[in-house]
Amino acid sequence: MERLIPKFGPPRKALLLGTGFVVKPTLEILAKDGIEITAACRTLESAKNLIGGVKNAKAISLDVTNSEALEAEVEKVDIVISLIPYTFHAGVIKAAIKKKKNVVTTSYVSPAMMDLDKEAKEAGITVMNEIGLDPGIDHLYALKTINEVHESGGKILSFLSYCGGLPAPEASNNPLGYKFSWSSRGVLLALRNSAKFWQDGKIEEVPGAKLMGVAKPYFIYPGYAFVAYPNRDSSPYKERYNIPEAQTIIRGTLRYQGFPEFVHVLVDIGFLSEEQVDYLKPSDKPITWKEAFAKTLSSSSESESDLIWAISSKTKFKDTAEKDRIVAGLRWLGLFSDDRITPRGTPLDTLCATLEKKMQYEEDERDMVMLQHKFEIEHKNGEKEIRTSTLVEYGDPKGYSAMAKLVGTPCAVAVQLVLNGTISEKGILAPMTSKINDPLIKTLKEKYGIECIEQTIA
């Protein structure tokens, strides 16, 4: 297979920050391409575990908040790959500006990162961001179609984009139809974010508390039972994607049917609260789940019938069947039981402790990623078309998860293209131009089989 980094000259060196579950493909692809990787984490053990069995890689302990130590490591390499929480990226970019080194991240460009654009340009460095799955592959294929339509004189009337990282259907065997490969707290907190989007020419806003109430069944393929809801603020994409003509622009999340109603009940009964409460404080003698449930619900007793009555007083069910399904789900989680809680101070964190125990992937289970863009197009001659661009990927229980592959591989390819000069623009970048995107699309498709399949459906 053709190398993206030429063999001649000294080996290129990269500093890889982070040891999360999406990092492994990035590490292995780059190391295989002859790039010398220094994997860094606050805890040396985590970095050592990450590089186990990988040639061309060494592990170090590094605290990125120690700017002197960070700069010393940045100076030794050609490029920095920052796969740590986005709040640390600005500090990493500052060190890279000082040492005139390029950077790649998979995160959205935050205001703190964008503030460094002028300094990055002056330092002559490339800071390539938003190049994972979502954001990343979604941008590549959204802009591919948008640019093709515009170049042929057409218009984008509506743009819908939904993405979900889910268990494969056969592994969606719990009341939420969901499993946690990363922080359950992060997943649940995201459900409280408000959403903002363009709908029929107007900006609509949905407060976080009502987000699950606007989730609707969403048809992609007949074999999947998805629901979709808007995610955060889609309104800037009119400008970002250069589609001022679009009347509807929604970017959102996919889940399996039943998920929104279950989460809606968790919100209504107070289990997504971050308020510290005495009875959930860490203790050597934690109370039972039914005691904690009764206190959270202000129930008159811990009997199951009283707890169910208290639930019904705080939330609304569509019908009896839905009520029975959700109560059965709460029972499956153990909330009516004599099991001891793992107290973490707040209802949200105490619930997360149980979710993480009960809703992990088993050894032989696979995850799945579904990404689909749907474009309503008006062509130059007035004809209308609905076109989709769809990516379905399943994880390999003996290899990478679908999510790790689809975040880690585009990141690695972006690193290669920055190192070999294909991506050479300076400043704080995202994949928003054909010059950047076309080589990424080509390499991901030809070398790794990663592509969105385009189809006219109407």
Side-chain angles (χ1 to χ4, degrees):
M1 197 171 279
E2 183 193 348
R3 290 160 62 99
L4 286 184
I5 305 300
K7 286 184 180 177
F8 52 83
R12 311 309 294 268
K13 296 179 180 180
L15 176 63
L16 178 58
L17 303 175
T19 56
F21 79 101
V22 299
V23 178
K24 194 81 170 181
T26 306
L27 167 72
E28 292 186 340
I29 289 167
L30 295 177
K32 195 174 174 185
D33 208 26
I35 298 165
E36 292 182 358
I37 309 287
T38 301
C41 184
R42 265 184 315 189
T43 52
L44 182 60
E45 207 53 41
S46 296
K48 281 181 175 173
N49 289 341
L50 174 70
I51 66 161
V54 177
K55 290 177 182 174
N56 281 347
K58 67 174 184 179
I60 63 166
S61 169
L62 178 64
D63 179 356
V64 295
T65 62
N66 179 338
S67 54
E68 198 176 318
L70 177 61
E71 286 168 17
E73 293 303 329
V74 169
E75 191 163 24
K76 298 173 188 173
V77 299
D78 300 295
I79 194 163
V80 182
I81 307 151
S82 190
L83 297 176
I84 51 181
Y86 79 94
T87 49
F88 296 110
H89 290 329
V92 171
I93 295 166
K94 283 176 186 171
I97 287 168
K98 196 166 179 183
K99 299 300 176 183
K100 294 184 165 51
K101 307 292 181 172
N102 298 320
V103 181
V104 172
T105 85
T106 55
S107 302
Y108 284 107
V109 174
S110 68
M113 292 158 72
M114 201 62 220
D115 287 346
L116 299 168
D117 183 50
K118 184 168 177 284
E119 289 175 58
K121 283 175 177 159
E122 286 168 356
I125 68 167
T126 299
V127 182
M128 184 67 207
N129 307 284
E130 303 192 24
I131 189 56
L133 165 66
D134 174 8
I137 295 170
D138 59 345
H139 293 329
L140 301 180
Y141 281 88
L143 286 160
K144 179 178 183 291
T145 294
I146 288 166
N147 291 339
E148 286 169 3
V149 169
H150 283 169
E151 282 163 16
S152 65
K155 297 175 184 173
I156 303 291
L157 303 181
S158 168
F159 172 73
L160 305 177
S161 176
Y162 291 102
C163 186
L166 295 156
E170 75 277 6
S172 62
N173 53 352
N174 66 49
L176 279 165
Y178 193 81
K179 292 194 173 170
F180 298 101
S181 49
W182 62 294
S183 156
S184 61
R185 189 178 208 275
V187 172
L188 293 180
L189 281 178
L191 301 173
R192 296 188 347 199
N193 291 327
S194 58
K196 189 175 176 182
F197 50 91
W198 287 94
Q199 179 89 54
D200 300 327
K202 292 185 297 194
I203 284 187
E204 302 282 350
E205 295 192 56
V206 179
K210 295 187 175 176
L211 186 64
M212 292 298 99
V214 300
K216 297 280 190 302
Y218 193 76
F219 183 89
I220 292 182
Y221 296 139
Y224 299 100
F226 291 126
V227 291
Y229 53 89
N231 183 17
R232 303 202 187 207
D233 188 358
S234 304
S235 62
Y237 283 84
K238 195 172 258 228
E239 188 177 339
R240 279 198 104 189
Y241 284 174
N242 188 28
I243 42 174
E245 72 274 23
Q247 298 299 292
T248 296
I249 302 172
I250 304 173
R251 297 172 84 246
T253 300
L254 292 172
R255 293 288 180 257
Y256 289 127
Q257 66 179 13
F259 180 93
E261 296 85 353
F262 199 95
V263 170
H264 193 72
V265 170
L266 290 177
V267 172
D268 285 351
I269 64 179
F271 266 109
L272 295 199
S273 166
E274 290 182 275
E275 191 181 331
Q276 293 283 333
V277 287
D278 287 344
Y279 60 89
L280 298 179
K281 278 183 180 167
S283 160
D284 293 339
K285 293 183 178 175
I287 60 176
T288 64
W289 254 119
K290 69 181 181 186
E291 286 177 81
F293 203 15
K295 288 177 188 288
T296 302
L297 289 168
S298 305
S299 171
S300 55
S301 87
E302 294 165 18
S303 74
E304 186 164 312
S305 57
D306 282 344
L307 291 172
I308 292 170
W309 187 90
I311 292 165
S312 301
S313 72
K314 288 181 178 285
T315 193
K316 287 190 174 74
F317 298 101
K318 184 177 68 179
D319 52 34
T320 305
E322 182 180 280
K323 178 182 175 180
D324 290 347
R325 178 179 68 80
I326 290 172
V327 167
L330 296 171
R331 193 180 291 117
W332 180 88
L333 284 173
L335 303 195
F336 298 105
S337 74
D338 289 314
D339 296 344
R340 300 281 168 185
I341 63 170
T342 304
R344 290 186 179 171
T346 71
L348 171 69
D349 292 302
T350 304
L351 177 65
C352 284
T354 289
L355 294 180
E356 284 160 13
K357 256 187 255 173
K358 288 185 167 269
M359 293 168 61
Q360 290 289 341
Y361 283 93
E362 299 294 329
E363 201 172 320
D364 58 346
E365 290 181 336
R366 350 175 254 177
D367 71 327
M368 180 187 88
V369 165
M370 175 69 78
L371 165 67
Q372 189 185 73
H373 301 316
K374 187 182 284 182
F375 308 86
E376 188 182 333
I377 299 164
E378 183 180 295
H379 290 290
K380 191 177 180 179
N381 62 4
E383 283 183 12
K384 299 277 181 71
E385 177 193 354
I386 295 175
R387 191 184 304 175
T388 57
S389 185
T390 310
L391 169 65
V392 189
E393 182 81 36
Y394 286 91
D396 175 0
K398 294 180 173 59
Y400 301 142
S401 68
M403 185 61 77
K405 176 182 174 180
L406 295 180
V407 175
T409 307
C411 176
V413 170
V415 170
Q416 292 168 324
L417 296 181
V418 171
L419 282 174
N420 71 18
T422 303
I423 296 175
S424 58
E425 288 86 339
K426 308 305 176 194
I428 308 294
L429 308 176
M432 292 290 151
T433 66
S434 296
K435 189 178 177 190
I436 289 173
N437 295 7
D438 291 353
L440 287 162
I441 289 172
K442 184 174 189 289
T443 307
L444 286 168
K445 178 181 175 178
E446 292 178 1
K447 201 167 179 186
Y448 300 101
I450 295 171
E451 64 172 323
C452 288
I453 304 299
E454 295 166 347
Q455 187 179 11
T456 296
I457 61 169

